[in-house]
Amino acid sequence: KTESGVAAAAAKEEEGAVPFDAKAIAPQLAAIGITAGLASGLLGIGGGTIVTPLLALVSPLPQAAVLGTSLLAMVPPSAVALLQHHRLGNVDPRMGLTLAAGTAIGGLVGSGVAVQAPPGALETMFFFGMLFLSKKTFATIRKMK
């Protein structure tokens, strides 16, 4: 049985690694959260594109724990932004619920793969995923001009 990422970080502390005190980086965490919340409400992004890479930079958590923590952090802004967009009439419930079912299944499978991934694999997949999305976004911008 594998230990959790948070437990793994705690074990590293006990082995003599530099201890991690979340309180010490609370201002950075708050800034990351505010930025991700703004991006979530404005663009529908935040967790994977903002919280995940920045949390990986400011904390000693292993990538799987960064992913899990990022997912938890994005639940409130997603809910708040959903309510606001629903009030504005910007939500297609049938499409959204169908996507939610698919993402729940994908999340279950993906998180199972993530906790078994070898070191560096998640970071590499994240890098190439962001590179692909960036390329697609720039191509869309060029088409608009």
Side-chain angles (χ1 to χ4, degrees):
K1 183 174 179 177
T2 62
E3 63 183 330
S4 75
V6 176
K12 286 181 185 176
E13 285 182 26
E14 290 175 9
E15 293 171 3
V18 176
F20 173 59
D21 179 10
K23 290 179 186 175
I25 62 164
Q28 291 104 321
L29 294 174
I32 292 168
I34 291 167
T35 303
L38 287 169
S40 177
L42 183 65
L43 303 170
I45 63 168
T49 55
I50 295 171
V51 176
T52 299
L54 294 177
L55 187 57
L57 289 174
V58 302
S59 79
L61 295 176
Q63 191 69 16
V66 166
L67 295 174
T69 303
S70 175
L71 289 167
L72 173 61
M74 292 313 296
V75 170
S78 294
V80 169
L82 169 62
L83 290 173
Q84 178 67 7
H85 281 282
H86 180 68
R87 281 190 213 119
L88 295 170
N90 297 332
V91 177
D92 181 326
R94 185 177 296 151
M95 188 181 297
L97 291 172
T98 303
L99 285 167
T103 58
I105 294 166
L108 179 66
V109 173
S111 62
V113 171
V115 297
Q116 300 299 325
L122 297 176
E123 294 86 347
T124 302
M125 286 188 280
F126 183 80
F127 169 79
F128 283 109
M130 290 293 100
L131 192 62
F132 173 77
L133 291 174
S134 297
K135 182 179 176 186
K136 289 299 220 179
T137 301
F138 283 125
T140 301
I141 291 169
R142 274 193 233 123
K143 288 180 186 177
M144 297 171 127
K145 291 184 178 183

